[in-house]
Amino acid sequence: MKRLKEVIWILLISICTGTSTPCNPKVFDGAFKNLVCVCNATLCDEIEPIGEIGEGKAVVYRSTLDGDRLKRMSMKMKEKLGKEETVNVTISIDASERFQQIFGFGGAFTDSAGDQLAAVSEKLQDQILNSYFGENGLEYNVGRVPMASCDFSTHEYSYDDVNDDFELKHFALADEDLKLKIPFIQKAMEKTKGKLQLFASPWSAPGWMKVTGRMRGGGAMRNDEKVYKAYANYFVKFFEAYSSHSIPFWGLTIQNEPSTGADMTWRWQTMNYTAETMRDFLKDFLGPQLKGNKLTEPLKVMVLDDGRGLLPGWADTIFNDTEANKYADGIAVHWYGNLYSPAVLLDITQRHHPDKFIFGTEACAGYAIHHGPIMGDWFTAENYASDIISDLNHHFIGWTDWNLCLDEKGGPNWANNFVDSPIIVNRKAQEFYKQPMFYAMGHFRHAPVILGITVQ
């Protein structure tokens, strides 16, 4: 444990960015100094550039429990001991030893996040999006987009709820896409100057394609070739629909948390795959459908999208199949359950399949013992830092947070599955709060040199 605390401390003062406009602090009740930074339409802390670095000096950025938030600091690389003597500090970097290439960091454009953005003024919207995607913010370059509804929506919906519409004649994006996702994705794309890399994830096929007839709760796809073909085409139509709004995608996952679909009483949208059924759907239907379309052919396809406890078996089942392997590029992993599944499982998976990347696609706090936000909780920031350090040390190419922002309850969420978020929006006061985990993410997003890796 001692070593872990030291690593976190080193990372939390690593070279990245700092605040030129200081944090406007607000302290909440708690066992410790539970502090958030408050932003409104006219005032929000920003990132201070590194600027000029004098000879014999280094610039570090520090976040602390006591209130520093990405604070830019200058430190001497040599110390005078007397009139003549000095102690020189030498930092040696072995450029020949290289590890995985880092793809990026980001968060998810859920309906709930869009609901917060739509409920505040345009100036406050801009402050939130700048905080994540702007040059003076975290400069996120990754975004996750749910395909149709998930628990962080206000209701169940798919893009074709007409029973047995195998030709998908009634396929159409929902109002949520048009009002709560697309406008803010487009703004984020502008702020990243087109560098935003998006990937999509479905929580369930339309209800009529499932054995249960409903998106909510467990159950697999109907064992019907017409259904398999229609669902593969459903993916293509989604990407075509977003492309019509000038939104390109980098990749997709086949199913969010497929293991939860084994639970028929699951409270929100899900659909069950085993490694074998995902393999067969990929190689017989989805893969050929994607590769048969010029728009979707370049997309990176990720399998699993669930906890690492299912590795390496899940990856072995799919990648050891010659046909399925042709259509898969990487493995998507969530952080839930990491206390019970060691990181060595990632090492074993990478050893078995060195040509496949491993990517963190979902993480959040406030989902277990305490449901919802804990305002100003420093322990959550340490949890994020600890997990990201471990993941990067075990072959991850990036890390994706969950909702970009939520309300003060940790929603809206139609299944009452409230969680925490790095940004919490107070719609009534027209302000938002940057949690400590927001700044923890910033130290990683901007610290590739300290970690000895490069950003793609």
Side-chain angles (χ1 to χ4, degrees):
M1 190 65 181
K2 181 180 179 182
R3 178 178 177 271
L4 178 61
K5 287 182 178 179
E6 289 173 350
V7 173
I8 291 174
W9 180 81
I10 291 169
L11 193 67
L12 289 179
I13 63 167
S14 60
I15 295 176
C16 56
T17 48
T19 53
S20 55
T21 302
C23 168
N24 177 23
K26 180 176 181 178
V27 177
F28 288 81
D29 292 334
F32 301 100
K33 188 176 180 181
N34 282 19
L35 181 149
V36 300
C37 297
V38 183
C39 295
N40 56 38
T42 58
L43 180 66
C44 195
D45 55 299
E46 292 183 340
I47 305 283
E48 183 179 1
I50 290 177
E52 293 291 328
I53 303 176
E55 184 178 354
K57 293 185 177 181
V59 170
V60 299
Y61 290 80
R62 186 174 72 180
S63 294
T64 66
L65 172 64
D66 290 336
D68 285 344
R69 295 295 183 263
L70 288 171
K71 180 180 179 181
R72 183 188 187 280
M73 303 177 67
S74 179
M75 62 179 289
K76 295 179 180 179
M77 298 297 287
K78 60 182 180 179
E79 182 181 354
K80 290 184 178 180
L81 298 180
K83 292 182 179 179
E84 302 291 333
E85 291 182 279
T86 61
V87 173
N88 293 312
V89 178
T90 302
I91 298 175
S92 299
I93 299 174
D94 184 356
S96 65
E97 187 176 9
R98 304 180 70 84
F99 300 94
Q100 74 272 29
Q101 189 172 28
I102 298 303
F103 181 71
F105 296 84
F109 292 91
T110 61
D111 292 345
S112 297
D115 185 67
Q116 304 316 301
L117 289 163
V120 298
S121 69
E122 191 170 343
K123 287 185 177 180
L124 199 61
Q125 285 177 19
D126 205 49
Q127 294 277 40
I128 295 172
L129 293 172
N130 273 333
S131 294
Y132 278 126
F133 302 99
E135 291 182 353
N136 293 327
L138 301 189
E139 293 188 282
Y140 272 4
N141 68 322
V142 171
R144 189 185 191 200
V145 182
M147 288 174 59
S149 64
C150 63
D151 51 321
F152 281 92
S153 300
T154 58
H155 63 109
E156 292 177 69
Y157 66 87
S158 80
Y159 299 131
D160 190 338
D161 289 323
V162 178
N163 285 342
D164 293 343
D165 181 17
F166 298 112
E167 295 182 7
L168 301 181
K169 293 179 179 179
H170 299 276
F171 182 99
L173 293 179
D175 283 346
E176 283 81 357
D177 292 88
L178 301 175
K179 297 176 182 178
L180 302 181
K181 294 176 185 171
I182 288 173
F184 305 118
I185 292 172
Q186 290 172 332
K187 289 183 178 182
M189 289 171 62
E190 291 176 8
K191 294 183 184 300
T192 62
K193 295 180 172 60
K195 295 179 182 178
L196 182 63
Q197 303 290 333
L198 299 170
F199 68 95
S201 301
W203 267 242
S204 172
W208 58 270
M209 294 187 186
K210 285 178 62 179
V211 294
T212 60
R214 187 173 181 184
M215 296 177 75
R216 177 181 183 173
M221 260 192 295
R222 290 161 53 186
N223 187 16
D224 185 333
E225 186 170 323
K226 290 186 295 184
V227 173
Y228 297 145
K229 287 181 177 179
Y231 192 43
N233 191 31
Y234 183 90
F235 277 80
V236 172
K237 284 188 172 292
F238 168 81
F239 293 113
E240 289 176 340
Y242 265 72
S243 180
S244 72
H245 292 274
S246 300
I247 297 176
F249 276 77
W250 163 80
L252 71 134
T253 69
I254 299 172
Q255 168 65 37
N256 176 76
E257 296 181 354
S259 67
T260 62
D263 183 353
M264 301 304 290
T265 64
W266 198 254
R267 300 200 321 270
W268 55 90
Q269 300 91 322
T270 187
M271 190 167 72
N272 185 231
Y273 289 92
T274 63
E276 291 78 12
T277 59
M278 181 174 283
R279 174 199 64 198
D280 294 345
F281 177 61
L282 174 62
K283 73 176 182 179
D284 295 333
F285 299 97
L286 181 59
Q289 188 75 35
L290 294 173
K291 295 304 180 185
N293 183 290
K294 289 183 179 180
L295 176 67
T296 58
E297 186 168 354
L299 294 175
K300 303 294 184 183
V301 176
M302 291 174 274
V303 304
L304 188 58
D305 207 15
D306 211 326
R308 70 188 184 198
L310 294 169
L311 295 172
W314 199 285
D316 290 344
T317 297
I318 296 175
F319 299 146
N320 288 343
D321 184 286
T322 305
E323 276 301 304
N325 185 62
K326 292 194 306 188
Y327 299 115
D329 301 279
I331 307 156
V333 182
H334 293 191
W335 86 330
Y336 312 107
N338 280 0
L339 286 175
Y340 315 105
S341 50
V344 69
L345 297 174
L346 301 171
D347 298 334
I348 297 169
T349 303
Q350 196 275 336
R351 220 165 35 239
H352 288 186
H353 312 284
D355 59 328
K356 307 298 184 184
F357 63 80
I358 306 175
F359 189 33
T361 50
E362 186 182 315
C364 70
Y367 67 91
I369 298 172
H370 177 91
H371 289 274
I374 301 178
M375 300 306 296
D377 182 45
W378 181 257
F379 176 71
T380 301
E382 289 189 339
N383 255 356
Y384 267 44
S386 175
D387 190 79
I388 298 172
I389 290 170
S390 175
D391 290 337
L392 293 178
N393 283 334
H394 295 277
H395 310 289
F396 269 42
I397 67 164
W399 207 86
T400 315
D401 191 33
W402 192 203
N403 301 274
L404 289 171
C405 55
L406 293 172
D407 64 22
E408 293 168 287
K409 191 175 180 179
N413 184 294
W414 74 274
N416 294 321
N417 181 37
F418 302 112
V419 300
D420 209 338
S421 175
I423 286 181
I424 298 297
V425 178
N426 183 336
R427 300 156 70 139
K428 185 176 180 180
Q430 289 287 296
E431 62 185 22
F432 65 90
Y433 312 120
K434 292 181 179 178
Q435 297 269 52
M437 62 182 130
F438 173 91
Y439 299 95
M441 288 292 293
H443 283 285
F444 288 92
R445 176 65 187 97
H446 290 276
V449 175
I450 291 298
L451 293 173
I453 48 186
T454 57
V455 176
Q456 186 176 16

